[in-house]
Amino acid sequence: MGSKSHITSPAQLSYTIAGCSEHSNRFVAENIMVDLPTDPNSRWSGLHENPSIKQWILLRLDTLSVIDSITFGKHYKQHPCNMKEFKICVGLTKDRMAEVLSATLKDDSVPETFALRHVNRAGVPFPSRYLKIVPISAYSHSFHISIWFVSIAGFDEESHVKEVQQQHEEYTEATALRHILKHLRSRRLMVPFKALTASAGVQLEHPLVTRLYDSIVSDGDWAEAERVLQLTADAGLFDAFAHEAPAHATWMRLCGPSADGDTPRQRGGHAMCIDEDAGRIYLYGGWDGERSLDDLWVYVIADGRWHVVPQDEGAVWPGRRSCHKMAFDAKTGCIYMLGSLGVSDDELRENDAMRTRGPAAAEPRAPAERADFYVYRTRGDDAGTWELLSADTEASGGPPWIIDHQMVVDSTGGRLYVCGGRVNDWSPSEATKFSGLYIYDAAKRVWSQLPYKSPSSSSHPLTRRFGHSMVFEPNENALYIFGGMEDGEHYLSDVQKYDLDTNTATELFSNFSTTGGPEKMFAQRAVIDPTLKEIYVFCGLKRTRTTPLPRLDGEHWVFRYSSRPVNWTRTLLPPSRADGAPPARYAHQVVYDGRTRIAYLHGGNAGRLLENGALGDNVHGNDALAEQRLSDFWSMSLSRPGREEIVRRGTFLIRCQQYAFLLRRDSVVVLLLCAQVPRGLHDAPRRTGPSIPSDRGR
């Protein structure tokens, strides 16, 4: 952003109150400039309780600045007047402002910071002088909306702001000139159009687009138009359009039984990973509704068949588990496994018996010590064998015994990353405990905890979640983390990016549900395509503002993190699920083959639906027998219009225009000929004979 590279961090920006809507009693707008969380009078409060009446506060910055974020302070405890939903607008003048944020505050005492968009769609930064807060609702109905404290952070260094302002003015001027040129050309005012083009030095569009316009609009040369259309596609000018077009999901149900007719049985909370080079998908464990499983399956993509890996007598085997994670290291061919849900005493004894077969055996242990860590080798002399790397990762500096965490591998760097998850500590406390952000050096076999601090713009801690999604972006050396649950009630809808080079986190979305994304979700699954710079999300449980109970969601979304601003789009599914899309579920597993760009989905929990369509209180397995586990296996590919398809559609439109032009031209010729026919012929008696049938009834 211009000269921002030498600026270390945003600074607090001073402001004054430039105006506001009517306030209640003594709760004036100036109160938000002072942070007094224990003073019930230190707040602005709107006059109107009716949400249809627009209320606002307008802030004027003391100096022209590039605004980076806004922080809302709160009362020291929950308050019925606390602002809930709100919008933020910024601008150079108070009459022309653009919306840069739509979000929701939490009803607690923790201050929240929100990142504000300060670049336009073209990626050009812009300065602001005014900021408007538009409160929409309070947490309790029939209460005045209150704002307790507001601080703004950004960049106000004079030379930097001048550079940004100049860059923005140049962009605005060029945009205005293009609009003028477009208007002149549409009115066929070609003399001023050519003169302005030559003098301003602004190119209206790509030269091929100009040729296409001239061939259709100016010259009516349809053959030339079709030829230029093909040249335009060959030059890649339609590629961005094709990439941004809605993606169509094509699903195919796979069976693939082994030679004995076997396939993995129904389950949820299992783990899967993929070896793209070998074309193999690995599946382990899960919960079938009655107990945890300990089977290992391999699906050979080329053969389209499942194969179960036998448990050799005397060999190490991880034992029964669910809610664990597996990650595949493409460089070494190793599969790492971490985590498990608490199981019955019988299963613990069985697991201990399996563990004592190997050289890394440990004494039978209490449930709280089951933070074990395994590796399965698919290559080399030890291919097909398990090794217990650690009987207690917490004692080795790694994560404690966790479930519903996320784990990814950086194969190039030989590192494993683990984020979040719920801790199984068998504590009598009802409070949920969470794990942190850890790194495992595969070569050194050493665990360590990554330094992590919530970003200033974050509305939710990065690691305080379970049942979330995390993917590794190798080109950026970054982690993308989103969704999940904080406890049994609060579903999350934020997206955070963790830069592994700088160990810093940035919040991309505080609430993607309010910015065109899916609803808040838990136990969803996500995979990444670093080449296309897209993340594919397969929804699980969702919770909306209007539904107190969670619901199953069978939607699938594309998150484009390369676009500016980053955005969400929903994939287009067949007209009905009977046409070939998998039913809604959660606790399923998804892997992605980046070579073929095909995702594979297996199993999951279809829940226990109530009559109103919501899930019952047992959505997390308390009443397992009433829930339906699935064993189906699917492949999904996304399709968008390619260059040939775009040229085909464009050619069709050109020929439609040509046909319409010919109709208009021939109609004029017919009218001219009719006008020259002698009048007596118009009055000649009609011929007798067979009547021509009317087509009115068609």
Side-chain angles (χ1 to χ4, degrees):
M1 191 176 72
S3 61
K4 182 183 171 180
S5 58
H6 70 276
I7 300 177
T8 57
S9 60
Q12 187 170 347
L13 305 176
S14 56
Y15 64 86
T16 56
I17 305 298
C20 66
S21 57
E22 296 178 289
H23 61 85
S24 174
N25 202 355
R26 60 184 177 276
F27 305 117
V28 297
E30 284 73 14
N31 289 340
I32 69 172
M33 302 175 67
V34 182
D35 189 13
L36 297 174
T38 59
D39 184 358
N41 297 319
S42 182
R43 55 181 165 128
W44 170 86
S45 187
L47 179 63
H48 304 284
E49 302 173 3
N50 189 345
S52 63
I53 299 177
K54 186 176 181 180
Q55 303 182 86
W56 51 274
I57 300 179
L58 183 65
L59 312 182
R60 185 181 187 276
L61 301 178
D62 292 348
T63 59
L64 191 65
S65 307
V66 179
I67 302 176
D68 181 74
S69 64
I70 184 171
T71 298
F72 290 95
K74 301 178 182 179
H75 195 39
Y76 74 99
K77 62 180 180 180
Q78 291 182 330
H79 196 284
C81 294
N82 281 345
M83 181 175 68
K84 184 178 181 182
E85 298 173 295
F86 66 95
K87 293 182 179 181
I88 301 294
C89 302
V90 299
L92 286 172
T93 66
K94 57 184 178 182
D95 299 322
R96 297 190 62 181
M97 308 188 76
E99 182 180 321
V100 294
L101 177 67
S102 176
T104 302
L105 276 175
K106 296 178 182 178
D107 188 20
D108 57 22
S109 60
V110 181
E112 291 186 55
T113 301
F114 299 86
L116 298 181
R117 179 172 59 86
H118 48 267
V119 296
N120 58 24
R121 292 186 177 274
V124 178
F126 56 83
S128 299
R129 193 61 183 263
Y130 291 90
L131 183 146
K132 178 184 284 188
I133 306 171
V134 182
I136 299 174
S137 65
Y139 263 91
S140 297
H141 298 293
S142 302
F143 279 86
H144 302 285
I145 305 175
S146 292
I147 301 176
W148 298 84
F149 173 69
V150 173
S151 66
I152 305 172
F155 308 94
D156 59 354
E157 198 268 328
E158 185 177 0
S159 61
H160 169 66
V161 174
K162 283 186 177 180
E163 182 180 342
V164 169
Q165 186 176 16
Q166 180 180 355
Q167 185 179 359
H168 183 257
E169 288 176 352
E170 291 174 354
Y171 170 81
T172 304
E173 180 180 339
T175 302
L177 285 172
R178 290 190 180 95
H179 282 295
I180 295 172
L181 289 172
K182 185 177 180 180
H183 172 74
L184 292 174
R185 188 174 65 177
S186 66
R187 295 294 302 274
R188 307 301 300 153
L189 301 173
M190 301 309 297
V191 174
F193 173 83
K194 293 178 180 179
L196 183 59
T197 301
S199 61
V202 175
Q203 188 177 17
L204 175 60
E205 59 213 358
H206 193 281
L208 283 174
V209 178
T210 301
R211 288 177 59 186
L212 186 62
Y213 177 91
D214 291 339
S215 61
I216 297 175
V217 179
S218 303
D219 305 330
D221 189 341
W222 312 109
E224 172 68 6
E226 293 187 18
R227 191 177 72 85
V228 176
L229 181 68
Q230 184 64 57
L231 292 175
T232 305
D234 293 341
L237 299 187
F238 295 139
D239 291 354
F241 165 78
H243 184 61
E244 295 294 332
H248 288 75
T250 301
W251 288 92
M252 179 182 298
R253 183 159 185 172
L254 308 174
C255 182
S258 66
D260 298 326
D262 295 330
T263 58
R265 62 189 295 183
Q266 69 274 7
R267 67 193 68 204
H270 48 301
M272 279 172 52
C273 62
I274 183 171
D275 180 353
E276 296 184 26
D277 294 334
R280 294 171 179 264
I281 298 172
Y282 295 87
L283 181 153
Y284 189 95
W287 177 266
D288 68 356
E290 296 182 359
R291 65 186 309 176
S292 295
L293 305 174
D294 64 345
D295 48 350
L296 174 63
W297 292 81
V298 182
Y299 181 80
V300 181
I301 297 175
D303 299 340
R305 289 188 177 276
W306 284 102
H307 303 276
V308 65
V309 177
Q311 299 184 22
D312 295 335
E313 186 68 27
V316 175
W317 200 266
R320 302 182 183 276
R321 64 187 60 220
S322 57
C323 299
H324 53 295
K325 289 294 177 290
M326 292 198 309
F328 182 80
D329 185 348
K331 187 175 182 179
T332 62
C334 291
I335 298 175
Y336 294 95
M337 179 186 292
L338 177 70
S340 64
L341 185 64
V343 294
S344 65
D345 292 339
D346 291 339
E347 290 175 318
L348 285 175
R349 283 192 292 271
E350 184 175 350
N351 281 359
D352 288 332
M354 293 178 180
R355 194 175 289 111
T356 56
R357 299 172 185 168
E363 294 296 325
R365 293 169 289 126
E369 300 175 10
R370 293 193 61 247
D372 48 13
F373 181 44
Y374 284 87
V375 63
Y376 180 80
R377 293 181 174 84
T378 65
R379 304 174 193 166
D381 297 337
D382 296 330
T385 62
W386 288 96
E387 179 187 355
L388 178 62
L389 295 176
S390 174
D392 188 349
T393 52
E394 186 174 19
S396 305
W401 179 18
I402 51 177
I403 61 170
D404 288 330
H405 48 294
Q406 281 296 308
M407 183 169 66
V408 295
V409 168
D410 171 13
S411 297
T412 303
R415 293 179 288 266
L416 188 75
Y417 298 100
V418 179
C419 177
R422 189 174 59 186
V423 177
N424 277 324
D425 64 349
W426 297 82
S427 170
S429 172
E430 296 182 358
T432 303
K433 296 182 179 180
F434 300 92
S435 182
L437 181 61
Y438 292 87
I439 179 174
Y440 177 75
D441 189 314
K444 298 178 180 178
R445 296 195 172 193
V446 174
W447 282 101
S448 58
Q449 191 164 8
L450 283 173
Y452 167 70
K453 181 180 180 181
S454 296
S456 60
S457 59
S458 176
S459 60
H460 190 85
L462 182 71
T463 58
R464 189 176 175 80
R465 65 189 72 212
F466 64 96
H468 51 296
S469 292
M470 180 174 74
V471 294
F472 172 68
E473 217 296 354
N475 301 316
E476 301 177 354
N477 196 30
L479 304 173
Y480 284 85
I481 300 120
F482 55 91
M485 189 190 304
E486 182 179 6
D487 51 38
E489 295 294 331
H490 297 95
Y491 285 35
L492 306 177
S493 58
D494 60 332
V495 178
Q496 299 195 34
K497 176 183 176 182
Y498 186 88
D499 189 322
L500 294 165
D501 292 327
T502 61
N503 291 326
T504 58
T506 304
E507 185 176 68
L508 304 181
F509 287 97
S510 60
N511 185 354
F512 50 65
S513 301
T514 62
T515 52
E519 298 287 350
K520 298 180 178 181
M521 49 188 175
F522 166 76
Q524 76 284 350
R525 299 295 179 250
V527 292
I528 187 172
D529 190 321
T531 304
L532 297 178
K533 296 187 180 299
E534 294 178 337
I535 298 173
Y536 308 122
V537 181
F538 303 79
C539 295
L541 290 173
K542 71 175 183 181
R543 189 187 295 273
T544 66
R545 291 174 294 177
T546 58
T547 56
L549 293 176
R551 292 175 177 268
L552 283 174
D553 191 337
E555 295 179 346
H556 312 94
W557 291 76
V558 178
F559 174 54
R560 295 189 178 95
Y561 58 89
S562 62
S563 60
R564 293 293 180 268
V566 293
N567 64 77
W568 293 83
T569 58
R570 187 178 357 215
T571 60
L572 302 179
L573 297 174
S576 67
R577 300 205 175 274
D579 292 336
R585 65 194 68 200
Y586 71 102
H588 46 302
Q589 281 301 319
V590 180
V591 295
Y592 183 72
D593 188 342
R595 302 167 308 153
T596 59
R597 290 179 177 164
I598 295 177
Y600 296 89
L601 179 150
H602 181 274
N605 191 338
R608 180 175 66 89
L609 294 178
L610 302 177
E611 293 183 357
N612 62 358
L615 289 174
D617 295 334
N618 59 334
V619 295
H620 304 303
N622 298 327
D623 186 6
L625 295 178
E627 297 178 331
Q628 179 187 5
R629 266 69 182 191
L630 304 173
S631 62
D632 50 349
F633 186 45
W634 299 78
S635 69
M636 185 209 75
S637 59
L638 295 178
S639 60
R640 299 179 177 90
R643 291 183 180 180
E644 293 182 0
E645 174 64 16
I646 294 174
V647 170
R648 187 190 69 81
R649 295 181 189 179
T651 301
F652 173 76
L653 294 175
I654 290 174
R655 294 182 180 180
C656 287
Q657 183 66 23
Q658 180 183 5
Y659 180 69
F661 174 78
L662 292 175
L663 286 179
R664 290 195 299 270
R665 186 191 65 183
D666 292 345
S667 297
V668 172
V669 173
V670 171
L671 289 174
L672 290 174
L673 290 175
C674 291
Q676 297 176 13
V677 174
R679 181 176 179 80
L681 293 181
H682 288 290
D683 300 330
R686 296 182 180 178
R687 250 175 72 174
T688 60
S691 61
I692 300 175
S694 171
D695 64 350
R696 186 172 297 176
R698 289 188 179 181

